[in-house]
Amino acid sequence: MDTGDKFREQSRKRSAKNTMQLSNLEHGRLQPQAVDLEEAVLGAMMLEKDAVNTAIDILQPKSFYKDSHQKIFSVIQHLFEKSEPIDILTITNTLKQRGELEIVGGPYYISQLTNKVVSSANIEFHARIVAQKYIQRELIRISSEIISDAYDETTDVFSLMDKAESSLFSVTEGNIRKNWDDMSTLVRQAIKQIETAKNQDGNIVGTPSGFTALDKMTSGWQPSDLIILAARPAMGKTSFALSLCRNAAVDFNKAIAIFSLEMSSLQLVTRLISAESELSSGKLRNGNLRYDELAQIHTKIAGLTEAPIFIDDTPAISVFELRAKARRLKAQHDIQLLVVDYMQLMTAGGEGKGNREQEISTISRSLKSIAKELNIPVIALSQLSRAVESRGGDRRPQLSDLRESGSIEQDADMVLFINRPEYYGITEDEAGQSTLGVANIIIAKHRNGSVGDVQLKFTAELAKFGNLENNFFGDEGASGGNAFGEMPINDEFDTAANTITRSSKMDDFDDDDVPF
């Protein structure tokens, strides 16, 4: 091959190589980025203090695409936390102390960043674009990992789902933040809520339980509240939860979601049918029904059939899976109440795994977070410790009896206990009143209202709770004794509603002592 042929062959190879490189560039993908905006944001933060206050609440060092920008922002963050001046000199000096000055491009590169921006007027808009590009990159990374793991035949699919939900949730929690509300907006919203409550029949502003006495004390289950319903086994936690769900859905047409970790959905529905038709669940299980009883079932469950109740009986559901399903139910059916039966059977999943106390703490915090995010009440059933059984007298539960974690009491807006003296063989209270068929609903904690006790009717063979027709007192209406012992001076009885209200400590102040 002569010199000319060799030259032509080399030219042909170079041309083919360049064509291949251009083709790869055309079909390749760059990660989402906004380097020019990153430079503008960093430059603005060096020029104006207000720009730092705005951007530092939106961005993190990892929000930046270039490593050098991550290091510069980290220095700005460090200086801001120490309340030191932020400018070219302080940033350069700090990077020099860290041995990172040359890595980021030297003093010249830092000084050039201030030339990238004229004003910090658009700093927030630019910072949010930088943050959005980071979220896109994180979603790409997480998706790539999920795809890779999904192709691996040794991967457990349920662990992979939990990992995916946990990763996506961490991106959301770390980057999507709610801004503050100003006072004028909040006051208008509060006045509107007060006026709505005034015009509401029975002053029920939340999701009603259907129990008159209980609704009078709570004004219904309030949006964003975490309500813990706790009792010892066989006290009727599930029955009470089903009764209040049935009342809200059938009588008030409120959409309800039930996550049952202990019983199957068919078992729950059978209980609902038993309570609605007033036929024992034993008869429904063995099918020992007369024709008139079968007709009674079909007649009485008509309202239940159309009730907007959605039941999920996934065992050992994780908080991430529950959150995802609750979001879909809220979006598709506008659920007004979420019930979890019961929280000790849930798993924290992901990074929440650890010792049992830490896991329950994570679950408790997550349930409260779900209530706030969806703006609905969440009722979580919980077990009580055996300390109740060893206690003398009427074995009245206390907040300290909540099992496995003190964070349950801390996170809850309301804590309710169920106590049935009849279960322990106590047939009369201290006043001589019968406790047969009576359940005490004890409101032990109420962040936004009074604590107290409510008496409800309990029909054991139907596992059904209902309003109690009698009151605390005998026919004479004597006020000497009652089912709960002597009444403190500040407590109030409502004989018609079967409640005892224990007033707040705030009531002890004289109006004349209040300075406004």
Side-chain angles (χ1 to χ4, degrees):
M1 184 180 293
D2 59 16
T3 305
D5 291 336
K6 286 182 179 181
F7 179 77
R8 283 190 293 272
E9 179 64 19
Q10 289 174 354
S11 298
R12 187 188 65 79
K13 286 182 179 179
R14 281 197 300 270
S15 176
K17 183 178 179 181
N18 290 337
T19 302
M20 184 176 66
Q21 287 177 342
L22 287 171
S23 177
N24 287 339
L25 186 60
E26 287 176 2
H27 297 289
R29 293 183 178 182
L30 286 174
Q31 283 194 321
Q33 54 182 288
V35 176
D36 53 340
L37 291 181
E38 290 181 10
E39 294 173 345
V41 168
L42 292 173
M45 294 177 80
M46 293 183 201
L47 289 174
E48 296 185 25
K49 184 177 181 180
D50 289 342
V52 177
N53 296 333
T54 300
I56 209 152
D57 191 47
I58 300 171
L59 300 172
Q60 310 168 54
K62 60 185 178 182
S63 302
F64 292 84
Y65 180 71
K66 290 187 67 174
D67 289 341
S68 58
H69 293 169
Q70 290 182 12
K71 289 179 170 58
I72 293 170
F73 184 83
S74 177
V75 168
I76 293 174
Q77 204 173 44
H78 170 73
L79 293 171
F80 179 82
E81 289 170 356
K82 296 181 68 176
S83 300
E84 294 184 0
I86 297 171
D87 53 36
I88 295 175
L89 294 177
T90 55
I91 291 172
T92 302
N93 186 54
T94 306
L95 285 168
K96 186 185 296 183
Q97 291 174 355
R98 293 184 175 185
E100 297 176 344
L101 182 58
E102 297 305 320
I103 296 175
V104 302
Y108 176 76
Y109 181 78
I110 296 171
S111 64
Q112 287 300 303
L113 290 175
T114 57
N115 295 329
K116 303 289 184 179
V117 60
V118 177
S119 166
S120 65
N122 300 319
I123 180 70
E124 182 175 355
F125 181 74
H126 294 161
R128 293 200 181 279
I129 293 176
V130 172
Q132 289 168 15
K133 297 298 181 184
Y134 165 69
I135 293 173
Q136 288 178 269
R137 294 196 298 273
E138 281 295 282
L139 291 175
I140 291 170
R141 179 186 63 79
I142 292 168
S143 301
S144 300
E145 290 178 358
I146 293 169
I147 292 170
S148 177
D149 291 341
Y151 276 109
D152 187 351
E153 294 293 338
T154 63
T155 302
D156 180 75
V157 65
F158 297 106
S159 298
L160 178 59
M161 288 173 60
D162 185 67
K163 177 185 175 183
E165 290 173 355
S166 177
S167 300
L168 291 171
F169 177 63
S170 65
V171 172
T172 303
E173 287 291 286
N175 295 280
I176 300 177
R177 302 175 184 176
K178 183 179 181 296
N179 208 346
W180 60 78
D181 295 312
D182 62 85
M183 197 62 181
S184 61
T185 302
L186 292 172
V187 168
R188 284 195 299 270
Q189 291 176 355
I191 293 298
K192 184 178 179 181
Q193 183 175 315
I194 292 168
E195 291 174 347
T196 302
K198 180 181 181 300
N199 299 325
Q200 192 81 20
D201 292 338
N203 295 325
I204 306 300
V205 294
T207 302
S209 69
F211 301 120
T212 307
L214 187 59
D215 285 337
K216 184 171 183 180
M217 291 193 69
T218 64
S219 297
W221 311 118
Q222 301 302 308
S224 79
D225 274 5
L226 172 61
I227 300 111
I228 301 296
L229 174 62
R232 288 294 295 155
M235 275 293 149
K237 294 189 299 297
T238 302
S239 300
F240 181 67
L242 285 177
S243 294
L244 63 89
C245 287
R246 178 267 169 209
N247 294 343
V250 176
D251 297 339
F252 299 94
N253 198 34
K254 302 289 187 181
I256 310 296
I258 303 174
F259 288 86
S260 176
L261 288 78
E262 186 176 33
M263 300 176 65
S264 71
S265 55
L266 281 178
Q267 288 175 319
L268 292 181
V269 171
T270 301
R271 279 199 177 193
L272 284 168
I273 293 173
S274 172
E276 198 74 7
S277 64
E278 298 184 339
L279 295 171
S280 68
S281 55
K283 276 193 170 187
L284 299 183
R285 279 196 306 271
N286 58 36
N288 186 21
L289 297 168
R290 301 189 307 269
Y291 284 108
D292 62 308
E293 290 176 330
L294 193 58
Q296 179 180 334
I297 291 176
H298 288 290
T299 301
K300 291 199 172 184
I301 67 169
L304 188 64
T305 304
E306 302 299 325
I309 299 176
F310 306 93
I311 302 176
D312 186 307
D313 60 0
T314 304
I317 192 171
S318 71
V319 289
F320 303 110
E321 187 178 358
L322 187 143
R323 183 188 294 268
K325 290 183 175 182
R327 281 173 175 163
R328 290 198 296 270
L329 284 166
K330 181 65 176 177
Q332 295 172 10
H333 303 287
D334 192 25
I335 57 171
Q336 299 298 305
L337 176 67
L338 188 152
V339 175
V340 178
D341 182 15
Y342 58 93
M343 65 184 301
Q344 276 83 6
L345 293 179
M346 291 184 67
T347 59
E351 298 178 358
K353 294 180 180 178
N355 65 54
R356 190 55 182 163
E357 185 174 343
Q358 291 176 340
E359 194 168 10
I360 292 295
S361 297
T362 301
I363 293 168
S364 176
R365 286 193 303 272
S366 299
L367 290 176
K368 175 59 182 176
S369 175
I370 291 170
K372 287 192 68 177
E373 178 189 341
L374 302 183
N375 196 35
I376 59 173
V378 172
I379 299 179
L381 278 57
S382 177
Q383 292 282 20
L384 290 179
S385 68
R386 290 190 178 91
V388 179
E389 309 289 346
S390 59
R391 190 173 298 131
D394 59 0
R395 295 179 172 84
R396 182 184 177 90
Q398 301 172 0
L399 288 171
S400 58
D401 297 326
L402 288 168
R403 281 185 60 180
E404 294 178 311
S405 177
S407 67
I408 297 177
E409 176 188 348
Q410 175 184 319
D411 296 329
D413 297 282
M414 189 184 301
V415 177
L416 280 70
F417 297 128
I418 302 175
N419 183 33
R420 293 194 294 114
E422 178 186 3
Y423 178 82
Y424 297 110
I426 303 171
T427 57
E428 290 186 351
D429 59 27
E430 295 178 0
Q433 300 292 322
S434 174
T435 62
L436 301 180
V438 175
N440 300 326
I441 307 300
I442 304 165
I443 303 178
K445 178 185 177 182
H446 193 184
R447 184 167 285 159
N448 302 306
S450 301
V451 297
D453 303 338
V454 173
Q455 282 192 327
L456 297 178
K457 179 182 178 181
F458 179 71
T459 308
E461 59 270 20
L462 302 178
K464 179 180 180 180
F465 285 78
N467 290 309
L468 191 65
E469 295 177 0
N470 335 5
N471 53 43
F472 289 122
F473 313 109
D475 295 335
E476 299 79 17
S479 59
N482 58 75
F484 307 98
E486 294 299 321
M487 179 181 69
I489 294 174
N490 289 334
D491 285 5
E492 297 178 0
F493 284 91
D494 187 330
T495 58
N498 293 329
T499 61
I500 297 177
T501 304
R502 296 189 177 89
S503 57
S504 168
K505 295 287 186 184
M506 295 294 291
D507 296 338
D508 295 338
F509 292 104
D510 192 336
D511 290 342
D512 295 335
D513 296 331
V514 181
F516 50 88

